[in-house]
């Protein structure tokens, strides 16, 4: 008996030794497939998130719970068919432990069924349509939702002399959310919505829409366009003399995006927006984040996309730690739910029920600080849940 045991044990050792080295090393690797728009219209989002993910790894090391963390970055050009193919390849061929990134809503939605089928956690770091988290039980979000920030503007505007508006949004998920949640709240507070305009997502020409706004003569124009498109709106708004015609610009913070704001010129001064992150957020954690990010990226200022990516990495690292490097997709997902931590944006929670982020929403005004344009926070709504989830 004893002897047979011994032979058996020796036999096993021999088999283990015979395993190719590469396969053994695989066991000690934890792979994150980061799918981002690195080229095309949404490239700034990919650039910001990749830089933030790399910063997080540089600051926190690439060994977690005995595993070597490897980031595999893929460019989906924000095209959902490409996103789907890349997610499939990452899951099946590269055997990634987590898929992450997702610059736009259609991309996040395209990957969702694959996350579900393969039980792979999908960390959405950018896309912000409310319903995304409902597309798969494996989705966790570290960005924000458009209802979360738009409702805040629907409360602020009527209390600050704005009685009538025209809304102008990009015609897809997040734009539709912004239009609906801003308008409903604004009307509930006694405001009048004179017109609701939707512009195409791809290469929009704002001129004909702004002419309509001018004719309607609202107190303000409320805008949502995705990150990267804000400066085009601002330029056209000013060139057409909308401000001089007495029409105020109010928006979600996607428009006064920190990635572009400083190049928008003094015409942007005084624009009020609602959002969850400003590079000027006055906390020690944020100052440290902004300094480190700029140092590592030739002075590039981090925007809200960068923070979504940075915090997404935090959620993944923490889940890996909590599961001691031994967990599969379900265990990782469970460890992502309910995380509470201090982000550069402020205190955040990953709601265990909805897997969506609960966070402070700020009112901000564009001001000049040290010769640069910033979104300066002047009021805050604490711990805002996504209003889109309350059905
Ligand atoms: C989305 C929402 C994309 C907000 C954005 O920038 C944004 C989206 C690329 O869900 O597609 O600022």
């Amino acid at each position: 008996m004893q002897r047979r045991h011994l032979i058996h044990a020796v036999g096993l050792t021999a088999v283990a030794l015979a395993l190719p080295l590469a396969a053994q090393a695989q066991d000690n690797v934890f792979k994150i497939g980061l799918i981002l728009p690195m080229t095309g219209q949404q490239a700034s989002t990919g650039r910001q998130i990749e830089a933030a993910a790399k910063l997080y790894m540089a600051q926190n090391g690439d060994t977690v719970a005995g595993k070597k963390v490897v980031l595999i970055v893929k460019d989906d050009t924000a095209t959902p068919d490409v996103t789907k193919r890349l997610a499939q390849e990452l899951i099946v061929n590269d055997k990634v432990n987590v898929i992450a990134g997702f610059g736009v809503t259609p991309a996040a939605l395209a990957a969702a069924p694959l996350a579900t089928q393969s039980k792979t956690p999908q960390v959405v770091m950018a896309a912000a349509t409310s319903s995304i988290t409902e597309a798969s039980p494996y989705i966790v979000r570290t960005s924000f939702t458009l209802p979360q920030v738009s409702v805040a503007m629907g409360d602020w505007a009527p209390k600050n002399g704005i009685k009538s508006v025209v809304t102008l949004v990009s015609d897809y998920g997040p734009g539709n959310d912004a239009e609906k949640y801003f308008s409903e709240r604004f009307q509930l507070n006694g405001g009048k919505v004179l017109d609701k305009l939707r512009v195409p997502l791809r290469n929009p020409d704002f001129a004909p829409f702004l002419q309509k706004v001018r004719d309607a003569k609202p107190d303000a124009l409320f805008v949502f366009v995705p990150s990267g498109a804000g400066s085009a709106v601002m330029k056209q708004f000013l060139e057409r003399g909308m401000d001089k015609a007495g029409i105020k610009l109010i928006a979600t913070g996607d428009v006064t995006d920190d990635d572009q704001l400083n190049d928008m010129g003094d015409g942007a001064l005084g624009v009020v927006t609602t959002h969850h992150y400003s590079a000027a957020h006055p906390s020690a954690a944020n100052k440290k984040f902004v300094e480190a990010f700029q140092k590592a990226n030739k002075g590039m200022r981090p925007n809200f996309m960068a923070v979504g990516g940075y915090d997404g990495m935090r959620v993944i690292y923490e889940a890996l730690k909590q599961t001691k490097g031994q967990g599969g997709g379900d265990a990782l997902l469970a460890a992502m739910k309910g995380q509470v931590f201090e982000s550069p944006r402020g205190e955040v929670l990953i709601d265990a029920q909805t897997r969506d982020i609960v966070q402070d929403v700020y009112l901000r005004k564009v001001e000049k600080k040290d010769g640069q344009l910033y979104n300066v926070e002047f009021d805050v709504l604490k711990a805002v849940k996504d209003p889109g989830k309350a059905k």
Side-chain angles (χ1 to χ4, degrees):
M1 250 331 245
Q2 283 229 335
R3 216 178 131 228
R4 230 192 287 153
H5 247 105
L6 193 68
I7 291 166
H8 198 65
V10 170
L12 275 180
T13 310
V15 170
L17 286 173
L19 266 179
L21 266 177
Q24 282 187 32
Q26 286 277 326
D27 291 346
N28 293 321
V29 171
F30 184 90
K31 293 182 186 167
I32 303 170
L34 192 59
I35 306 178
L36 292 169
M38 300 305 302
T39 54
Q41 204 173 298
Q42 258 73 49
S44 67
T45 292
R47 172 164 43 83
Q48 288 270 353
I49 293 178
E50 183 188 23
K54 290 194 166 153
L55 175 64
Y56 190 90
M57 291 182 71
Q59 290 177 332
N60 295 277
D62 64 357
T63 305
V64 183
K67 301 261 176 177
K68 185 172 166 54
V69 180
V70 174
L71 200 61
I72 307 175
V73 181
K74 298 280 179 186
D75 177 12
D76 70 351
T77 72
T79 310
D81 288 346
V82 179
T83 314
K84 195 171 169 185
R85 177 173 56 74
L86 292 174
Q88 177 91 29
E89 286 172 9
L90 284 165
I91 292 168
V92 176
N93 302 344
D94 296 303
K95 305 200 167 28
V96 296
N97 301 85
V98 173
I99 50 173
F102 310 100
V104 294
T105 290
L109 294 177
L114 301 170
T116 306
Q117 280 160 26
S118 63
K119 301 184 190 293
T120 306
Q122 176 181 354
V123 178
V124 175
M125 297 170 160
T129 301
S130 172
S131 63
I132 287 173
T133 43
E134 287 154 54
S136 168
Y138 287 86
I139 291 179
V140 166
R141 173 155 45 197
T142 59
S143 52
F144 72 110
T145 80
L146 265 307
Q148 215 169 30
V149 298
S150 303
V151 160
M153 187 54 90
D155 278 331
W156 182 84
K159 285 192 206 128
N160 289 275
I162 296 168
K163 302 293 175 207
S164 62
V165 298
V166 171
T167 61
L168 176 73
V169 301
S170 293
D171 192 7
Y172 78 122
N176 302 349
D177 271 0
E179 178 192 277
K180 177 176 191 283
Y181 284 86
F182 166 76
S183 298
E184 283 179 5
R185 184 61 69 90
F186 184 70
Q187 286 168 317
L188 194 72
N189 288 319
K192 280 204 171 61
V193 179
L194 305 180
D195 207 354
K196 295 178 180 176
L197 307 174
R198 293 184 179 187
V199 298
L201 177 60
R202 298 276 157 218
N203 308 308
D205 174 13
F206 296 106
F209 295 96
L210 290 176
Q211 188 54 48
K212 276 194 176 179
V213 177
R214 233 195 136 110
D215 297 343
K217 293 190 174 49
D219 292 333
L221 171 64
F222 169 82
V223 181
F224 163 80
V225 290
S227 182
S231 57
V233 174
M234 189 69 76
K235 186 163 178 277
Q236 292 272 321
F237 185 86
L238 298 171
E239 271 175 17
R240 310 205 144 250
M242 310 285 284
D243 52 336
K244 298 205 175 61
I247 300 169
K248 287 198 177 70
L249 178 62
I250 54 174
T252 64
D254 308 73
V255 175
T256 55
D257 185 348
D258 272 306
D259 190 69
Q260 298 186 317
L261 178 60
N262 208 25
D263 298 321
M264 289 186 191
D266 287 355
L269 285 168
V271 171
V272 173
T273 58
T274 46
H275 229 210
H276 56 292
Y277 178 69
S278 164
H281 179 62
S283 71
N286 185 50
K287 286 201 178 100
K288 208 177 129 210
F289 168 70
V290 173
E291 265 176 39
F293 188 94
Q294 294 197 306
K295 195 166 169 222
N297 296 285
K298 301 193 178 89
M300 173 164 76
R301 191 195 286 185
N303 70 355
F304 62 100
M305 294 301 188
V307 171
Y310 192 75
D311 291 347
M313 290 298 286
R314 193 275 180 197
V315 167
I316 296 167
Y317 264 53
E318 188 60 32
L320 184 53
K321 269 185 218 160
Q322 275 182 34
T323 54
K324 302 191 165 57
Q326 303 301 312
D330 283 310
L332 284 168
L333 185 79
M336 289 178 181
K337 293 179 186 175
Q339 287 191 28
V340 178
F341 57 98
E342 191 191 358
S343 155
R345 67 188 104 175
E347 199 76 20
V348 299
L349 154 73
I350 304 299
D351 187 323
Q353 256 86 55
T354 62
R355 293 163 279 101
D356 222 334
I357 191 161
V358 179
Q359 60 191 330
D360 296 347
V361 171
Y362 305 90
L363 282 134
R364 312 101 48 85
K365 184 185 268 178
V366 178
E367 287 176 14
K368 212 170 233 181
K369 273 189 13 180
D370 309 324
Q372 298 202 24
L373 297 179
Y374 280 100
N375 295 296
V376 177
E377 296 166 356
F378 64 87
D379 205 354
V380 59
L381 291 139
K382 299 296 284 180
V384 181
K385 281 190 169 198
D386 172 32
K389 297 296 184 304
K391 288 223 182 80

